[in-house]
Structure formats: structure tokens, C-alpha cells
Amino acid sequence: MSWQVYVDDHLMCEIEGNFLTSAGILGQDGSVWAQSPAFPQVKPEEVNGIMKDFEEPGTLAPTGLYVGGTKYMVIQGEPGTVIRGKKGPGGITIKKTGMALIIGIYAEPMTPGQCNMIVERLGDYLVDQGY
């Protein structure tokens, strides 16, 4: 199965009538494995910051989480495995697997919990599959 199918069928799926605005699967080096059409171009320094926060949880909190040049306020996550961010009525969830970063970006009416569920469910599945 191609990585694009995971984005199209598992991240950009409908949940209670809502959809993510964009999603992507990136290698931990920042290489794009698959993405939705509206997914922002992630800069290498942004990936470096995300990876550093996974290694040393809390490093992004003072400066904010940047993805595609957009700044998100870091909110509670799961140290070492999930980073969550908020910006206005929307936000972002990033799940780290053994080899990848699963990223979902949402806006209202989708809720943070719905975004978390979509991104983390796929991330957990990929971890179980050895990715």
C-alpha cells in the first residue's frame, strides 16, 4: 500500500461529519512520504524543532510549534510520542512513530479530540506494524 493511501483514506477521512483541513506523513528527516493537497511545506528547521521536542519534551513550549511557517501554541501532549498545538479555532496534532511523523491540521467545526483520534489512531497502527 502506498503512503498516499494512508493520507487519503485514514487521515483525510470523515469523523462525525468533520474532516482535517490537511494532513501529511513525513520521515523523521523531514522528507515527505505523502500529503494532502493543502498540506504546508514544512521547513527542515521546523522538523528539527519537532524532533528535539520529542527527545526533550517541553522545548517547543516557550517558542511555539512551527509547521509550514504557521505558529501554534503547544498544548498538552504525550511526552516523546505526541505534540499538540492550537492556533485560534484550529490546531495540529503530530504523532511520532518509529520512522515517521503523522501530522493532522484542523479547523472548526472539527474538535481537537477528533483530530487527535484520527492522527493518533493511524500512528498507533503504524507503530504496531513496525513503522
Side-chain angles (χ1 to χ4, degrees), residues 2-68:
S2 81
W3 290 108
Q4 191 63 46
V5 172
Y6 285 106
V7 171
D8 296 342
D9 294 351
H10 300 281
L11 293 176
M12 297 305 292
C13 62
E14 181 266 340
I15 181 168
E16 297 173 12
N18 298 318
F19 295 86
L20 293 173
T21 54
S22 65
I25 301 175
L26 279 62
Q28 292 182 4
D29 61 356
S31 60
V32 176
W33 293 6
Q35 64 185 19
S36 66
F39 191 73
Q41 184 172 350
V42 182
K43 300 177 179 88
E45 60 270 20
E46 295 171 340
V47 174
N48 292 341
I50 290 166
M51 291 305 297
K52 183 170 186 201
D53 195 81
F54 280 125
E55 293 161 17
E56 301 170 37
T59 57
L60 285 177
T63 59
L65 163 65
Y66 286 86
V67 174

Side-chain angles (χ1 to χ4, degrees), residues 53 74-85 93-94 116 120:
D53 195 81
V74 178
I75 55 176
Q76 99 292 345
E78 295 172 28
T81 59
V82 178
I83 298 170
R84 298 182 184 116
T93 302
I94 304 172
N116 296 342
E120 293 172 36

Side-chain angles (χ1 to χ4, degrees), residues 15-19 21 89-90 106-115:
I15 181 168
E16 297 173 12
N18 298 318
F19 295 86
T21 54
Y106 70 95
E108 285 184 337
M110 179 170 269
T111 66
Q114 290 170 332
C115 178

